[in-house]
Amino acid sequence: MSVSTKDVDLTFQGVGQKAGIEVWRIENSQPVAVPESSYGKFLTRESYMILKTNASKRGTFRYDIHYWIGKDASEDEAEVAAIKTLELDKVLGGRSVQYRELQGYETERFLSCFKPCIMPEESERREHKNRMFVCKGKHVVRIQEVPCARSSLTHDAVFIFDSKNKIFQFNGLNTSIQERAKALDVVKYINETYHESNCKIAAIEDGRLMGDAEAGEFWGFFGGFAPLPRKTTVNEAQSTDEIPIQLFCVKKGEAERVPADSLTKKLLQTHNCYLLDCGSEIYVWMGRSTSMQERKSANKVAEEYLRGQDRPKSIIIRMSEFFETVSFRSKFDSWPQPSDELAPQDGRGKVAALLKRGGLDVKGLIKNAPEEEEEEELQSYIDCSGALEVWRVNGQEKSLLADTDQSKFYTGDCYIFQYTYTGEGQEESLIGTWIGKESVKEDRDSALSQANKMVESIKFLATQARVYEGNEPFLFYAIFQSFMVLKGGLSNGYKNYISEKGLPDETYKEDGIALFRVQGSGPENMQSIQVDPVASSLNSSYCYILHKDSLVFTWKGSQTSVEDHELADRQLDVIKPDMQTRVCKERAESDEFWEILGGRTEHATQKIPRETERDPHLFSCILSKEENLRVTEIYHFNQDDLMTEDIYILDCHTEIFLWVGQEVNTKDKTQALTIGEKYLECDVLLVGLFLQTPIFIIFEGSEPPFFTRFFKWDPKKSAMHGNSFQRRLAIIKDGGLSTMNLKRKKRAPVFGGRSASEKPQRSRSVSFGSDRPRARGRSPAFNALASKFGNPVVRNLSTPPALLSKLSSSGSSGGGGSGGGGGGSLDTSKILSKSKAIASLTASFDKPTREKLLPRSVKVNTSPTAKFESNSRVNVIPMSSRRYSPTIKEDSKENEADTDEGLTFYPYDRLTTSSTDPAPDIDVTRREIYLSKSEFRERFNMTKEAFYKMPKWRQNKMKTSLKLF
């Protein structure tokens, strides 16, 4: 677009530099800025320009310009508003979308800028007079003033009667709850704006007789009650549904039809302007190479075209090349995916340069390109130290996995997981399904069905998730922390499938050949993905672990960092603990390494791209009986747009969230996942959504932080009961106290078949530091102990039995077991016998079971957590300080410095793995302990005590560098 100083209005200098709204009114053919206090107030005889600046997640701005024309505005001012809008677009670099807004026919996007409504007036109000408005709209409200007469009332709309001392809302018999609730927002706005919140509010139901005092007062303004006639709604607007889509090219002030069998992007040439007639709206597309005069001419042609079609009320939407709206692109049979890179930004720069040469201030006119920032750190937004249970699905059955297998998933299987964590003062639960790429349909359907039943059985108090292999969200990884995907599968369905197809069984075997790609961002987000054991599976941006029988290799790509190497070390502790690895860097591999992979070949060098979160979009959705999905976008949304009677979709590209209101019927609640899958198929935003995109189903009242972060969330609103209208009416009258749900939500049950007193299998602790892996889980010894002696009442299993507290108090009081306050005697002989039983039981526990679960750097103390003597005081630790269990300690045998007693020391040269005269009868996995203290300090630059306080993987790394491992 060519630029000249005469095309630029200096009024627009510095606009669009921050997110928000800017408004101008056309006065004497010039735009005049409107003070912020008057935003949303429109006069019917005026024309206005409104700039809505939207800040994207990438730090750039996108612009919507609306020019609003009052029903009594002059044609000259309306034409000026249209032309000045094009000039404003030029100042913004041609990056805006422009909408013509006619009073009474405004777009929902425009009305959403001024929630809850706009109320155009003929003149500025001086004193109050009785008025009546008709309100229509389920998501945004359209207001029209009507005569204060009974004849204005109908059964098909909501009416607001604004008197001096009371505001009445009349709810037509045929109106929906959502329409009534939205109208109440208007009532509140009128009260605050015109009555300083001093007016009383009354809701009148259509058909209510004079027995109601407020109804009698309302009908008194109309001469008394009388039934309304059953009018049928007449739609005066011309129907545009049957008008075929037509494309016109604007040349020399005329619209020429573009002949084409189908609409494609190639039909639009950058040096021309085009009109696309879609019936209810007409689009003006302006090529980047067109001049300002050509754009003004195209706008004039569009208005004349509509007048000639007798459709003066149709919406006109203008846009420049590269900034097409979704609705415009959806009209074409073929349109390439939009690039993540924004269109050229030369428009602003050229305009600013011209103004500067003219000696004018250009501050704010140019927006510097955002500085490159580090990649945004991913967050889980919830407590990831909760309790986890996992089931493997096998046909119509599911089996609970042991601790050691909870993070090992097979690509040919499906899994159900339940994660319980501490939310806002109560326990929250996430129930999800993980679907392997090679899983069979029977297992997939069964997993989803069983997860649905689990959520339904707890009255929809849990969040539900559907996750596909390869598209796991960060939250999923954060919950599992160390996650492994293995080839093959264990389910009968998978085994039968490969048998029928004659396919080889590639199910992972510990003693076979396997190659793992290690990925992640830290100890609390690391994954090992098994890939084909061939050289082409390698990637220079990752580390890999390769094993064959007793041989283990760690391959470090040339583009990996120290952090990547540490992750590989940690994952090695999970995949092949207590085995020595051979480290090989890219381009320095041994022949033996390539021989296992079948020879050297070319491989990838760039990291596997992951989708990034984009600006969220909210949609209201309805699934018809024919299972056709109809969605309506809600612009500039907030929490109040979520109506308890409806289902909504929040799309942030990397995952979609379905919010389900409390008043939605049970059948529709169970169809929420189907709605989400239908939405992915439709790809409403035309951004190429994957069908495997993660889906989260959020039920009202149980909204997790990873959903509420998209709103300015007030938890009190979701804690209310009643329908949307009742809730809003209660908020207006008493702050919502009358509809507040004061009952605490019931704790989500566990589906593992254990008693109510028993915690889920794995209760995880917080991380201990950046250099130490997070260890999670209660020891099997302690679980067995608790099952033997646990009280059946609900309590934390890490809490010592109440028996110990009684023993403590009785022992301190003296008197051989009688209570201090007449509380009865205590038989200490039974206590001592139970103590001996505990000691006997714990002595027989299989300690290595827990050790297999954790990386080598962390060991669990499986000794009894509560040892006591009959004459000693027992200190009961408060629940809050016992939240994280189990007690994680370095194993006293392996991770503490041994005493020197009974050890024979050898010189360093005899202890190395390459020694020609190796020391006899030593533990080859702990060669360092045979060094004297002085030589240990000399070699390791630290004491033995300091060395054994380090994580095991760091110990092994130092020992390897010194040839002691």
Side-chain angles (χ1 to χ4, degrees):
M1 178 172 59
S2 60
V3 180
S4 63
T5 53
K6 66 180 181 179
D7 292 332
V8 179
D9 194 312
L10 300 184
T11 305
F12 303 133
Q13 184 175 347
V15 301
Q17 294 303 292
K18 62 180 181 179
I21 293 176
E22 296 170 80
V23 182
W24 297 266
R25 184 167 65 185
I26 303 301
E27 296 181 6
N28 298 322
S29 299
Q30 292 297 322
V32 177
V34 173
E36 190 171 347
S37 59
S38 297
Y39 286 3
K41 298 179 180 178
F42 297 90
L43 298 177
T44 60
R45 65 174 184 273
E46 305 287 357
S47 295
Y48 296 82
M49 296 171 56
I50 299 92
L51 170 63
K52 180 68 171 70
T53 303
N54 306 292
S56 71
K57 290 183 69 67
R58 293 185 175 90
T60 56
F61 290 138
R62 294 192 179 275
Y63 305 100
D64 293 322
I65 305 176
H66 306 267
Y67 58 105
W68 186 88
I69 302 171
K71 63 182 181 65
D72 300 322
S74 66
E75 290 187 7
D76 291 341
E77 286 193 348
E79 184 177 352
V80 169
I83 293 173
K84 291 298 180 182
T85 298
L86 287 170
E87 294 180 12
L88 175 57
D89 173 60
K90 174 173 284 189
V91 171
L92 299 172
R95 304 166 63 81
S96 73
V97 179
Q98 303 124 53
Y99 302 83
R100 185 184 73 162
E101 309 285 356
L102 300 183
Q103 181 180 344
Y105 299 91
E106 296 90 349
T107 63
E108 290 195 358
R109 184 185 295 270
F110 171 74
L111 294 174
S112 298
C113 295
F114 303 100
K115 291 182 179 180
C117 65
I118 62 170
M119 302 179 67
E121 301 185 64
E122 294 182 358
S123 61
E124 296 184 6
R125 296 188 61 184
R126 301 296 182 185
E127 58 183 24
H128 183 272
K129 65 175 183 177
N130 290 348
R131 301 182 298 172
M132 189 160 72
F133 303 92
V134 59
C135 303
K136 294 183 179 181
K138 180 178 176 181
H139 305 301
V140 295
V141 185
R142 299 178 184 276
I143 302 294
Q144 181 182 355
E145 187 171 355
V146 295
C148 295
R150 184 199 305 276
S151 58
S152 298
L153 300 173
T154 70
H155 297 293
D156 302 318
V158 178
F159 294 83
I160 296 175
F161 183 76
D162 177 20
S163 68
K164 186 174 183 180
N165 298 316
K166 185 176 286 189
I167 303 174
F168 298 88
Q169 176 172 317
F170 176 83
N171 298 320
L173 189 64
N174 300 328
T175 57
S176 67
I177 292 174
Q178 296 93 321
E179 289 178 299
R180 300 177 185 190
K182 281 295 182 181
L184 271 178
D185 292 339
V186 178
V187 170
K188 182 180 178 183
Y189 170 77
I190 293 173
N191 190 23
E192 293 173 349
T193 306
Y194 300 103
H195 298 275
E196 298 180 350
S197 301
N198 294 324
C199 222
K200 294 182 179 181
I201 309 297
I204 309 301
E205 296 300 323
D206 187 5
R208 182 175 295 177
L209 302 179
M210 292 291 292
D212 185 287
E214 290 182 332
E217 185 179 356
F218 170 77
W219 288 110
F221 287 99
F222 304 98
F225 173 79
L228 298 179
R230 293 187 176 276
K231 296 180 181 179
T232 57
T233 303
V234 178
N235 186 8
E236 297 179 356
Q238 178 187 356
S239 175
T240 57
D241 295 338
E242 298 179 359
I243 296 178
I245 296 178
Q246 301 178 81
L247 181 66
F248 300 88
C249 181
V250 178
K251 292 182 178 180
K252 298 180 181 180
E254 299 290 336
E256 298 180 2
R257 175 78 182 275
V258 177
D261 295 331
S262 64
L263 293 179
T264 64
K265 170 75 164 58
K266 294 180 180 179
L267 295 174
L268 305 177
Q269 303 296 320
T270 189
H271 55 273
N272 287 332
C273 292
Y274 294 84
L275 306 183
L276 184 67
D277 183 8
C278 300
S280 59
E281 61 268 324
I282 183 169
Y283 297 91
V284 181
W285 186 89
M286 301 172 290
R288 293 290 293 183
S289 301
T290 55
S291 66
M292 173 61 76
Q293 191 58 40
E294 288 174 315
R295 297 184 175 205
K296 291 179 179 179
S297 175
N299 182 74
K300 186 175 182 180
V301 169
E303 293 187 351
E304 291 176 350
Y305 173 81
L306 288 178
R307 281 194 291 267
Q309 294 282 320
D310 194 24
R311 290 188 284 136
K313 306 301 184 182
S314 290
I315 300 168
I316 297 178
I317 304 173
R318 304 187 306 229
M319 66 202 70
S320 298
E321 186 178 3
F322 301 125
F323 294 93
E324 298 86 358
T325 64
V326 173
S327 59
F328 177 80
R329 288 187 280 122
S330 68
K331 310 299 182 184
F332 287 74
D333 299 322
S334 173
W335 194 281
Q337 286 294 326
S339 171
D340 287 340
E341 297 295 328
L342 294 176
Q345 302 189 45
D346 57 349
R348 270 182 180 273
K350 291 181 179 179
V351 173
L354 285 170
L355 293 178
K356 191 172 183 179
R357 284 201 297 269
L360 299 173
D361 181 19
V362 296
K363 181 180 179 182
L365 188 57
I366 256 190
K367 181 181 184 294
N368 293 328
E371 298 180 2
E372 290 189 8
E373 299 179 356
E374 295 184 2
E375 187 176 346
E376 183 180 358
E377 183 179 356
L378 297 173
Q379 300 181 53
S380 59
Y381 298 98
I382 63 172
D383 172 21
C384 288
S385 61
L388 177 67
E389 284 191 307
V390 182
W391 295 263
R392 182 187 297 115
V393 174
N394 188 4
Q396 299 303 313
E397 304 294 330
K398 68 178 190 293
S399 56
L400 184 65
L401 298 186
D403 290 0
T404 52
D405 297 326
Q406 282 189 340
S407 296
K408 298 177 181 178
F409 285 18
Y410 288 85
T411 187
D413 292 335
C414 295
Y415 297 82
I416 299 173
F417 61 91
Q418 181 184 18
Y419 177 65
T420 306
Y421 61 97
T422 302
E424 294 291 333
Q426 59 192 7
E427 283 194 341
E428 303 289 353
S429 186
L430 171 64
I431 296 174
T433 53
W434 184 90
I435 300 174
K437 289 181 179 178
E438 304 298 328
S439 60
V440 297
K441 186 177 185 302
E442 178 189 2
D443 288 344
R444 296 184 184 197
D445 294 343
S446 175
L448 294 172
S449 175
Q450 292 188 64
N452 283 339
K453 291 177 181 177
M454 291 169 66
V455 174
E456 188 175 357
S457 69
I458 57 175
K459 299 182 179 179
F460 303 99
L461 292 178
T463 296
Q464 187 175 353
R466 190 216 65 178
V467 178
Y468 272 89
E469 177 190 350
N471 290 275
E472 297 89 349
F474 176 78
L475 173 64
F476 177 87
Y477 286 145
I479 289 173
F480 282 84
Q481 298 179 1
S482 178
F483 184 69
M484 184 184 301
V485 178
L486 303 171
K487 281 182 169 291
L490 303 178
S491 76
N492 295 334
Y494 174 79
K495 297 294 186 183
N496 293 336
Y497 174 79
I498 61 174
S499 176
E500 292 173 1
K501 297 293 183 180
L503 302 174
D505 190 351
E506 297 181 333
T507 303
Y508 172 73
K509 298 178 181 178
E510 292 186 0
D511 57 352
I513 299 176
L515 179 65
F516 292 89
R517 182 180 70 246
V518 178
Q519 61 189 38
S521 59
E524 298 175 1
N525 168 31
M526 52 185 181
Q527 302 89 44
S528 298
I529 312 298
Q530 187 179 1
V531 296
D532 293 332
V534 293
S536 58
S537 296
L538 299 175
N539 187 314
S540 301
S541 297
Y542 297 93
C543 292
Y544 288 77
I545 295 172
L546 171 67
H547 73 72
K548 177 184 180 183
D549 301 327
S550 60
L551 288 177
V552 182
F553 294 89
T554 301
W555 186 84
K556 298 179 179 179
S558 59
Q559 299 181 28
T560 56
S561 63
V562 175
E563 291 76 13
D564 295 325
H565 302 164
E566 292 182 355
L567 284 182
D569 288 336
R570 294 175 185 270
Q571 288 298 285
L572 186 64
D573 282 340
V574 177
I575 297 172
K576 284 293 181 181
D578 301 321
M579 289 191 67
Q580 185 174 350
T581 183
R582 302 183 186 183
V583 179
C584 52
K585 296 182 179 179
E586 186 174 359
R587 292 188 291 273
E589 302 88 350
S590 65
D591 293 338
E592 192 173 14
F593 175 83
W594 290 120
E595 183 180 350
I596 297 175
L597 293 181
R600 186 196 303 263
T601 60
E602 294 293 325
H603 59 258
T605 59
Q606 299 299 317
K607 270 200 169 183
I608 301 171
R610 285 188 64 89
E611 295 288 339
T612 57
E613 189 173 279
R614 300 185 184 180
D615 298 315
H617 294 260
L618 183 69
F619 298 89
S620 171
C621 51
I622 298 175
L623 188 65
S624 68
K625 293 181 180 179
E626 297 78 20
E627 293 198 352
N628 294 320
L629 183 65
R630 181 163 55 89
V631 300
T632 303
E633 182 165 7
I634 299 174
Y635 305 100
H636 317 306
F637 60 84
N638 56 43
Q639 183 182 356
D640 291 334
D641 289 314
L642 301 176
M643 296 283 193
T644 187
E645 296 79 18
D646 294 330
I647 298 176
Y648 297 83
I649 293 177
L650 183 69
D651 180 357
C652 64
H653 190 68
T654 51
E655 53 255 333
I656 65 169
F657 303 88
L658 278 89
W659 184 90
V660 183
Q662 291 179 359
E663 297 295 312
V664 174
N665 63 62
T666 302
K667 181 181 177 181
D668 290 342
K669 286 181 179 180
T670 58
Q671 287 187 318
L673 182 59
T674 302
I675 292 175
E677 292 174 336
K678 289 281 185 183
Y679 175 83
L680 293 177
E681 292 174 4
C682 295
D683 191 16
V684 175
L685 295 174
L686 303 180
V687 292
L689 273 180
F690 296 116
L691 297 180
Q692 294 78 27
T693 299
I695 298 175
F696 290 92
I697 302 174
I698 314 294
F699 296 98
E700 184 181 11
S702 300
E703 293 89 350
F706 55 83
F707 172 77
T708 58
R709 65 189 174 97
F710 295 104
F711 302 82
K712 291 182 179 179
W713 195 262
D714 182 359
K716 293 180 180 178
K717 290 182 178 179
S718 61
M720 300 175 71
H721 59 78
N723 62 42
S724 298
F725 174 73
Q726 292 167 339
R727 295 182 188 188
R728 277 170 164 77
L729 187 61
I731 290 175
I732 292 175
K733 290 191 172 183
D734 60 14
L737 292 178
S738 60
T739 58
M740 189 65 65
N741 186 4
L742 300 178
K743 294 182 180 180
R744 289 180 62 85
K745 189 174 65 175
K746 293 183 179 179
R747 171 181 168 180
V750 177
F751 294 94
R754 290 179 288 274
S755 65
S757 63
E758 200 171 348
K759 283 275 189 178
Q761 259 193 328
R762 188 162 61 174
S763 178
R764 283 88 61 76
S765 66
V766 294
S767 59
F768 296 93
S770 59
D771 61 342
R772 185 169 180 178
R774 170 181 268 183
R776 305 174 292 178
R778 181 174 290 114
S779 67
F782 194 84
N783 280 337
L785 175 65
S787 67
K788 292 289 184 181
F789 298 101
N791 194 310
V793 298
V794 178
R795 61 177 177 83
N796 191 317
L797 290 180
S798 61
T799 307
L803 176 64
L804 305 184
S805 301
K806 293 181 179 180
L807 175 62
S808 172
S809 60
S810 63
S812 61
S813 63
S818 63
S825 62
L826 181 64
D827 189 349
T828 56
S829 63
K830 292 183 179 180
I831 298 173
L832 293 177
S833 64
K834 186 167 288 189
S835 175
K836 292 178 181 178
I838 292 173
S840 174
L841 177 64
T842 56
S844 64
F845 288 149
D846 183 12
K847 294 181 181 180
T849 301
R850 177 60 187 166
E851 294 173 3
K852 293 179 183 178
L853 171 65
L854 299 173
R856 288 177 290 169
S857 55
V858 179
K859 301 295 178 184
V860 178
N861 180 9
T862 56
S863 62
T865 58
K867 290 185 178 181
F868 61 90
E869 301 292 339
S870 59
N871 59 350
S872 64
R873 174 179 292 275
V874 177
N875 294 322
V876 179
I877 304 173
M879 288 287 289
S880 59
S881 65
R882 273 188 268 102
R883 176 178 173 187
Y884 303 108
S885 63
T887 303
I888 304 298
K889 293 184 178 179
E890 300 293 342
D891 187 274
S892 60
K893 182 176 180 180
E894 289 193 25
N895 293 321
E896 293 181 2
D898 292 275
T899 61
D900 294 338
E901 295 182 16
L903 282 178
T904 301
F905 296 124
Y906 294 96
Y908 168 75
D909 294 338
R910 297 192 65 188
L911 294 171
T912 63
T913 56
S914 59
S915 174
T916 57
D917 182 22
D921 300 326
I922 63 170
D923 183 351
V924 294
T925 64
R926 308 186 69 215
R927 298 172 185 268
E928 75 283 355
I929 66 173
Y930 300 99
L931 290 171
S932 65
K933 289 185 178 180
S934 58
E935 190 165 12
F936 189 95
R937 179 184 288 274
E938 178 184 348
R939 297 290 178 180
F940 286 87
N941 293 319
M942 65 178 68
T943 64
K944 287 188 178 182
E945 289 76 9
F947 176 77
Y948 287 112
K949 289 180 180 179
M950 297 170 58
K952 190 64 179 292
W953 67 272
R954 283 187 180 272
Q955 296 176 24
N956 291 342
K957 201 169 186 179
M958 293 186 68
K959 286 159 62 175
T960 301
S961 65
L962 293 171
K963 298 183 179 181
L964 292 174
F965 185 75

